[in-house]
Amino acid sequence: MYSASLSDFEGVLSKHIDKDFKIFPAGNDAPKEQTFSEFEDQIGFPLPDDFRMFSCSWLGGVYIEVKEEVWPRHKEYAVGPYWSFLYGMFVYALSPKAPDWMSIEGKIPWFREHTGTNYVPFLKLIGVADIYCFDEAGDVRRWDHETGEAPLQNKTFFEVFSYEVAELKGRKEQKKALLKSKHDSK
């Protein structure tokens, strides 16, 4: 199986992330290999190599969102198509400087209690309760908050990351087109 390199991840970002996005990577706050190994000891199983490499790189724990001036946020109790609430995504961070809601260490106890699994969450879309996670074999699953099931995805971390970044760009382009058409019809 092909293991993605840092340049593969950077290529995904350079292909899909443009001036309409804000991106916040770990930078110098990314964990060192020893910290990552200690984390794996704590959770009880090893995580995939591409996730380890990503997490320990300058990108680790990245947060990506479409700028609010490009994608205005819905007001409380607003209604709209499902996709119109999905303006961002993030990879959980293994960094002491990560906000609590983005900390992989902070999310694990809640996630395990609410799912009844031993899985480790790794990627979340803004506006969706479902969470991508790794099982004890390092396989990717997507926990469904409605059914409580976490079916196998048959994708690597890199493939999930690539897919979700491309989907985010697609939603952004769709939102821009809708806003432009509303503006043009006035």
Side-chain angles (χ1 to χ4, degrees):
M1 181 188 309
Y2 173 74
S3 184
S5 68
L6 182 57
S7 63
D8 292 327
F9 285 98
E10 291 168 338
V12 167
L13 294 174
S14 68
K15 179 178 179 180
H16 298 292
I17 302 302
D18 57 28
K19 64 180 178 36
D20 293 334
F21 290 91
K22 287 197 257 181
I23 181 168
F24 301 96
N28 293 332
D29 294 329
K32 304 296 181 230
E33 285 285 332
Q34 180 179 344
T35 303
F36 198 91
S37 293
E38 290 167 358
F39 173 68
E40 288 177 321
D41 290 344
Q42 184 183 8
I43 62 170
F45 54 89
L47 295 170
D49 290 341
D50 58 349
F51 183 70
R52 169 188 286 269
M53 183 271 311
F54 181 90
S55 296
C56 294
S57 77
W58 70 275
L59 283 173
V62 70
Y63 176 87
I64 305 167
E65 74 174 26
V66 180
K67 292 178 180 176
E68 195 163 357
E69 60 268 19
V70 175
W71 189 322
R73 304 304 187 251
H74 288 286
K75 304 290 185 229
E76 191 172 7
Y77 307 114
V79 294
Y82 169 74
W83 67 266
S84 69
F85 295 88
L86 312 180
Y87 62 85
M89 62 178 275
F90 63 89
V91 175
Y92 285 98
L94 183 61
S95 165
K97 294 188 178 181
D100 290 343
W101 53 268
M102 212 174 134
S103 167
I104 195 168
E105 290 176 298
K107 187 66 173 181
I108 287 175
W110 177 94
F111 187 75
R112 288 180 171 179
E113 178 184 332
H114 284 80
T115 65
T117 69
N118 200 32
Y119 300 161
V120 173
F122 70 83
L123 188 144
K124 182 165 184 342
L125 303 180
I126 305 299
V128 178
D130 301 348
I131 299 174
Y132 285 102
C133 50
F134 295 116
D135 65 18
E136 295 88 344
D139 292 326
V140 173
R141 296 179 173 269
R142 187 164 187 192
W143 176 70
D144 182 315
H145 77 285
E146 290 182 6
T147 66
E149 296 175 4
L152 277 170
Q153 298 300 295
N154 295 316
K155 293 181 180 178
T156 64
F157 167 67
F158 174 72
E159 291 168 330
V160 168
F161 181 81
S162 301
Y163 173 79
E164 291 299 350
V165 169
E167 288 292 299
L168 179 57
K169 181 182 181 182
R171 290 190 301 272
K172 184 258 308 184
E173 295 300 333
Q174 189 174 1
K175 185 70 170 181
K176 280 180 79 171
L178 281 172
L179 291 173
K180 182 178 178 346
S181 101
K182 282 182 183 178
H183 181 268
D184 291 347
S185 68
K186 289 182 180 179

